[in-house]
Amino acid sequence: MSESILIRGARIQGGDAADILIENGVITGLGSGLSASGARTVNADGLIALPGLVDLHTHLREPGYEASETILTGSRAAAAGGFTTVFAMPNTSPVADTAGVVEQELALGEAAGYAHVQPIGAVTVGQKGERLAELGAMASSRARVRVFSDDGFCVFDPLIMRRALEYVKSFDGVVAQHAQDPRLTEGAQMNEGTVSAELGLSGWPAVAEESIIARDVLLAEHVGSRLHVCHLSTAGSVDLIRWAKKRGINVTAEVTPHHLLLTEDLVRGYDPRFKVNPPLRRDEDVRAVREGLADGTIDIVATDHAPHPAEAKTCEWQAAANGMVGLESALRVVHAAMVETGLLDWSDIARVMSAAPARIGRLADAGSPIAVGAPASLALYDAAPVRTFSTDDLRGRSVNSPYLGRDLPGEVRATFFRGRQTVVDGVVVDEVTS
């Protein structure tokens, strides 16, 4: 049984201030002038209260790659960023392609206690793209998997993709596609264009993403199934998703914080922190994905949190691994890219970073509005400060953040997971010193 907590004066999703009473892990009171005997009081004057954030695209690396991250360290990083639910990608060792592995991940998340860790199952055995994994067994396991992905491998065979889309229909699952034609991106090092030509680096063309999206939305329409597009990054991809939705195809899409803020020009310094897949794109693409998120074409923001050990990122560009850590910085980056620009307000942020990802992942008890009777999973965010992002902000095992040394607005001051406060005054609870 968790303690009773009375949060005073929080601005609910950026709106009017209210008190929030939490008892036994549930919100039991919401209004002004609340009181509760014996409750611990948290002063939230001026802070924005958001539903606990939900990340549909997180790499936690365990089992198999614990040098980069573990479920414990990754869920601590999640809490620091205001996340109370993370969906764990299956590119582990062994790959999460069986009921046994996804149940192990679920149990490790429960033991850590910082966030709900919801496993994503692989579409194909070993993510090799050759035959379907145990989709039904993972769906009926204790983990109740509803999202399946071979990220970061594209399900390239159209017959395999069609069979996967057909199979998941029986339990209302979704296939989350890493849209990348492998033949068009062999040896690719960055976005294909003027900058790649100047730098002499092999290019990753936009059409390699767009052609897979075009194929897959038509396959989803043909079989009447749900499709989710991971880390959409180009203007053409936004146009394709917009067209598909107007046509009535059941497709959703995500954009990462880094694709909302950073551009290919950062590659000019050959700093491997900026190497990611899909790559950082042009200014025009950044504008397009921002507009797509603002008008609802893109449904959610997902971090694609991808930790790596130091040796994988402190090397020459061509040898460096793709990926960036992003859980701790996501809300601040979206604040900068979307709220400060006037494209979204805080109720929109609650939708694209909490409610919608939970809905896509079919988690009924995540992403709930801050309301009486809802699970007490929420974040308190201070939108006022502007601080330089540093390694002190990172709570995971890896430090490959593209934002180190960059000024970002805002700060997560507190996170509550099912009534337990996991972040106090911006510090993960077990790091608080007396």
Side-chain angles (χ1 to χ4, degrees):
M1 183 178 295
S2 59
E3 66 176 331
S4 296
I5 301 171
L6 180 58
I7 301 171
R8 289 206 176 278
R11 296 171 54 212
I12 309 300
Q13 295 183 183
D16 294 335
D19 300 339
I20 305 168
L21 179 61
I22 297 171
E23 297 175 299
N24 299 324
V26 175
I27 297 173
T28 58
L30 184 65
S32 59
L34 298 185
S35 63
S37 177
R40 178 168 63 86
T41 300
V42 174
N43 180 16
D45 184 37
L47 303 183
I48 298 167
L50 295 170
L53 304 184
V54 178
D55 187 16
L56 198 66
H57 192 148
T58 309
H59 298 273
L60 295 180
R61 305 304 193 200
E62 187 178 12
Y65 303 107
E66 289 84 357
S68 300
E69 193 78 282
T70 67
I71 287 174
L72 172 60
T73 62
S75 55
R76 283 163 49 86
F83 289 90
T84 55
T85 299
V86 292
F87 284 73
M89 279 292 176
N91 54 339
T92 52
S93 181
V95 170
D97 57 5
T98 66
V101 177
V102 296
E103 288 183 343
Q104 177 192 10
E105 292 177 342
L106 181 72
L108 287 169
E110 291 170 340
Y114 287 93
H116 175 63
V117 175
Q118 176 60 44
I120 292 176
V123 176
T124 64
V125 175
Q127 296 177 289
K128 294 180 179 179
E130 297 171 353
R131 56 192 176 95
L132 291 182
E134 299 176 6
L135 308 184
M138 288 186 279
S140 60
S141 73
R142 194 171 77 87
R144 294 192 73 256
V145 177
R146 291 296 181 270
V147 183
F148 298 87
S149 179
D150 273 358
D151 190 72
F153 300 96
C154 179
V155 182
F156 186 53
D157 185 323
L159 182 59
I160 294 289
M161 187 63 180
R162 173 183 174 168
R163 296 293 181 240
L165 289 165
E166 289 173 328
Y167 199 108
V168 301
K169 282 180 62 179
S170 63
F171 45 80
D172 193 27
V174 63
V175 178
Q177 176 69 292
H178 174 98
Q180 176 185 0
D181 187 315
R183 296 297 301 277
L184 291 174
T185 55
E186 290 181 8
Q189 294 290 317
M190 67 168 296
N191 181 55
E192 181 179 282
T194 303
V195 178
S196 66
E198 291 176 3
L199 299 179
L201 294 175
S202 300
W204 200 122
V207 69
E209 175 175 300
E210 296 157 7
S211 60
I212 296 297
I213 293 174
R215 182 201 74 176
D216 286 352
V217 295
L218 292 175
L219 285 174
E221 179 183 44
H222 181 68
V223 303
S225 187
R226 291 201 296 142
L227 170 72
H228 180 72
V229 178
C230 296
H231 43 48
L232 178 154
S233 68
T234 76
S237 295
V238 177
D239 289 340
L240 285 165
I241 298 297
R242 188 175 286 121
W243 171 85
K245 287 188 170 185
K246 287 181 179 177
R247 192 177 170 95
I249 299 172
N250 197 352
V251 59
T252 54
E254 72 190 35
V255 64
T256 69
H258 47 272
H259 286 115
L260 288 169
L261 189 65
L262 308 178
T263 72
E264 64 179 357
D265 287 323
L266 291 165
V267 179
R268 293 183 186 277
Y270 295 101
D271 185 338
R273 290 185 299 127
F274 301 113
K275 187 175 182 183
V276 67
N277 184 12
L280 301 180
R281 302 290 191 180
R282 308 166 302 161
D283 285 327
E284 301 95 304
D285 295 304
V286 171
R287 289 195 297 271
V289 296
R290 286 184 181 186
E291 291 168 4
L293 184 63
D295 69 19
T297 300
I298 300 172
D299 299 83
I300 66 170
V301 175
T303 70
D304 195 9
H305 176 81
H308 290 291
E311 59 269 21
K313 281 293 193 177
T314 54
C315 57
E316 63 274 16
W317 176 273
Q318 291 184 321
N322 287 304
M324 306 166 167
V325 294
L327 285 168
E328 301 97 330
S329 54
L331 183 54
R332 295 173 66 184
V333 173
V334 176
H335 178 184
M338 301 301 296
V339 179
E340 289 196 333
T341 56
L343 292 169
L344 294 180
D345 61 23
W346 290 109
S347 63
D348 295 322
I349 298 302
R351 171 175 50 84
V352 302
M353 297 188 73
S354 188
R359 173 180 53 79
I360 293 167
R362 295 301 192 254
L363 281 185
D365 61 348
S368 303
I370 297 173
V372 173
S377 293
L378 62 141
L380 299 178
Y381 184 71
D382 187 351
V386 176
R387 295 190 302 105
T388 302
F389 195 82
S390 72
T391 55
D392 291 339
D393 293 296
L394 300 173
R395 296 294 184 268
R397 184 160 283 185
S398 299
V399 297
N400 53 299
S401 169
Y403 307 110
L404 296 177
R406 189 183 187 108
D407 288 344
L408 292 175
E411 181 179 17
V412 174
R413 297 300 302 161
T415 305
F416 300 83
F417 174 52
R418 296 175 181 168
R420 175 181 173 235
Q421 190 168 2
T422 57
V423 173
V424 176
D425 293 332
V427 181
V428 177
V429 288
D430 65 358
E431 295 178 349
V432 174
T433 58
S434 58

